[in-house]
Amino acid sequence: MIKICYVIGQLGKGGAEKQLYEIVKGINKNNFEPVIISLSRGGYWSKEIKKLNIHVIELRRKKHIELTRLFKLIKLVRKIKPAIVHTYLFSANSYGRIAAILDRVPIIIASERNLPKLSRDKNIYQISIDKLLMSFSDGVICNSYKCSEILVRKYLFDENKVFTVSNGINSKEYLKKANWGTQKKLAQKVIGTVGRLTPQKNHKLLLDVAKIILDHYGERDIKFMIVGDGVLRNKLEQYSKNLGIQNSVVFTGERNDVSYLLYNMDIFIMTSLYEGMSNALMEAMLTGLPIVTTNVGGNSELIIEGETGVLCPLNDAKAFADKIISFIDNETQAKQIGDNAKQRIIKELGVEKMIKRIENIYTKFLEKLCIQKTF
């Protein structure tokens, strides 16, 4: 049995955390024994992972950077004695790999879940730490080809150490649990999005788009649903008031019934400035919604232009509005594109394929080191 120690910054309601849950849930337990160390306590996915009878160790977090937590992590990894340490998100990629290096773990793998662009989601210090620790790592798994390309082309990572494994979604489980629009809809047409209310998601642009569409249709019964919470909520609510559209925009806050809300939307919009491989976008596609999103990161790997959705330039409110108006005015086209999107997720982006690809990466390194195992 090969023991894998996953190290992650926290287990709150995020995309990387959900993907880790799917991996440890579906990984072949005859071959691999997963253990999770979270660098923070609590979180939605912590409870869900524990229900799988997988050992979760949670460290107390006092400050953003603290040596005490690193020392505890080093002791834990030494005690667990894993054959593989696989880290998620920047803090864990740093703390986890340092611990693994000092404890001489045979295989060390990091993850890159977004597009690592300088001065946007990472600073020069963080990029430098990543490059230094990569010298002592066996590989890094990216969730989009665009992310892998940036690491190799822009930051000169060894291409033999960079792997791409697209996110996966459990289609059968999602469709089984989803509510098929039993709630009375907010409006005749509901245009919605799901995501944290942070600068990355660029919700201000979404509100500008809403203003254009509402002005275009006048009295038509159209609502915009923004699912999620975050530091910008108050500013965004105030901006909707400044635009005079507050009565047509619903801020739901963080919800545990996202699939239920998706099935009550007609069109899905995502205005992000950057993305890796968006879980929210994949769930919207699986719901059968026509997608209008920015042409950034892994979005273009999910959306086939004009077939499973449409892509728009960054910060172009008019382009977004025109595409959404086209879907509203042509329901047959919108339904066909939504159906195409759903079938693409089911056929090509199942969680089973993601897990198998990750297992193959583990196996490749294990065989290289001649670590004995039974497969």
Side-chain angles (χ1 to χ4, degrees):
M1 183 76 72
I2 301 300
K3 189 173 286 188
I4 307 172
C5 181
Y6 293 97
V7 185
I8 191 164
Q10 51 94 22
L11 286 168
K13 268 199 156 183
E17 296 84 352
K18 181 175 183 179
Q19 291 296 311
L20 178 56
Y21 167 82
E22 295 290 1
I23 290 168
V24 298
K25 179 182 179 182
I27 199 166
N28 189 334
K29 305 299 192 304
N30 293 323
N31 299 333
F32 301 103
E33 180 187 348
V35 177
I36 294 178
I37 300 177
S38 172
L39 301 181
S40 304
R41 289 190 175 180
Y44 176 84
W45 289 111
S46 174
K47 298 174 185 176
E48 295 301 307
I49 292 169
K50 287 175 182 176
K51 291 177 185 177
L52 303 174
N53 293 320
I54 290 170
H55 189 31
V56 179
I57 303 167
E58 299 166 279
L59 300 181
R60 182 186 295 276
R61 177 175 179 170
K62 296 180 180 178
K63 295 180 289 184
H64 183 63
I65 299 175
E66 49 183 308
L67 290 177
T68 304
R69 220 165 13 139
L70 175 59
F71 294 146
K72 288 180 179 177
L73 182 58
I74 293 169
K75 289 181 180 179
L76 280 170
V77 173
R78 188 174 301 149
K79 182 179 178 181
I80 294 167
K81 295 180 180 175
I84 302 170
V85 163
H86 186 170
T87 62
Y88 278 75
L89 306 177
F90 178 73
S91 62
N93 281 343
S94 302
Y95 281 78
R97 284 192 286 180
I98 291 170
I101 292 163
L102 294 177
D103 287 332
R104 298 183 180 181
V105 173
I107 299 166
I108 304 171
I109 301 172
S111 298
E112 188 61 66
R113 311 299 300 178
N114 225 319
L115 294 188
K117 287 201 173 179
L118 196 61
S119 78
R120 189 181 62 186
D121 63 325
K122 287 193 177 184
N123 56 40
I124 188 66
Y125 163 77
Q126 292 171 318
I127 293 290
S128 299
I129 290 292
D130 276 341
K131 292 189 73 172
L132 174 63
L133 292 176
M134 197 60 199
S135 303
F136 301 93
S137 306
D138 295 280
V140 56
I141 298 177
C142 303
N143 66 350
S144 71
Y145 288 99
K146 187 68 174 178
C147 175
S148 295
E149 179 191 346
I150 287 174
L151 289 182
V152 173
R153 179 176 51 80
K154 186 171 183 179
Y155 297 119
L156 305 179
F157 280 43
D158 182 351
E159 62 180 349
N160 295 314
K161 288 187 172 184
V162 179
F163 303 88
T164 304
V165 179
S166 299
N167 286 353
I169 188 166
N170 193 327
S171 301
K172 291 180 181 177
E173 189 170 300
Y174 180 88
L175 295 172
K176 183 172 65 177
K177 288 183 177 180
N179 267 289
W180 293 78
T182 55
Q183 174 181 313
K184 184 179 179 182
K185 287 180 61 177
L186 282 170
Q188 184 184 13
K189 288 292 179 184
V190 180
I191 301 151
T193 193
V194 178
R196 292 170 292 112
L197 306 188
T198 60
Q200 174 192 349
K201 302 301 181 180
N202 201 17
H203 288 93
K204 184 174 180 289
L205 177 68
L206 189 153
L207 294 173
D208 290 333
V209 174
K211 173 66 173 172
I212 295 172
I213 292 170
L214 292 167
D215 285 348
H216 176 83
Y217 285 109
E219 298 298 316
R220 186 160 178 177
D221 187 21
I222 296 174
K223 295 283 188 183
F224 287 80
M225 183 191 298
I226 298 176
V227 182
D229 211 342
V231 294
L232 295 182
R233 179 165 180 174
N234 290 339
K235 287 185 178 180
L236 291 168
E237 288 180 337
Q238 183 58 52
Y239 189 62
S240 72
K241 291 177 183 177
N242 295 345
L243 292 174
I245 61 173
Q246 69 272 21
N247 293 331
S248 298
V249 180
V250 177
F251 290 86
T252 72
E254 187 172 298
R255 296 284 289 260
N256 293 327
D257 57 347
V258 173
S259 62
Y260 184 61
L261 297 176
L262 285 170
Y263 274 107
N264 285 278
M265 296 178 189
D266 296 285
I267 299 167
F268 188 86
I269 177 174
M270 179 176 280
T271 51
S272 300
L273 296 171
Y274 56 95
E275 287 288 343
M277 182 69 71
S278 169
N279 288 278
L281 201 57
M282 292 171 71
E283 290 184 359
M285 292 173 71
L286 184 56
T287 306
L289 292 173
I291 308 291
V292 183
T293 186
T294 38
N295 188 8
V296 296
N299 289 357
S300 60
E301 294 167 37
L302 289 171
I303 301 300
I304 300 171
E305 178 66 27
E307 183 178 329
T308 62
V310 291
L311 298 163
C312 295
L314 277 174
N315 292 315
D316 191 335
K318 185 178 184 305
F320 269 94
D322 287 346
K323 297 295 185 182
I324 290 171
I325 288 169
S326 175
F327 281 149
I328 292 173
D329 290 345
N330 192 336
E331 294 184 356
T332 301
Q333 179 199 34
K335 184 179 185 308
Q336 184 60 61
I337 286 179
D339 289 343
N340 293 343
K342 180 177 180 178
Q343 290 307 311
R344 178 151 199 260
I345 294 293
I346 291 172
K347 292 177 181 177
E348 300 179 31
L349 291 159
V351 70
E352 300 86 0
K353 289 185 178 181
M354 175 188 71
I355 293 168
K356 189 62 180 175
R357 287 169 184 157
I358 290 174
E359 287 181 346
N360 288 341
I361 292 170
Y362 294 161
T363 301
K364 172 186 172 182
F365 286 122
L366 291 166
E367 288 176 344
K368 190 179 291 187
L369 292 176
C370 299
I371 293 179
Q372 295 300 313
K373 60 199 180 304
T374 303
F375 287 116

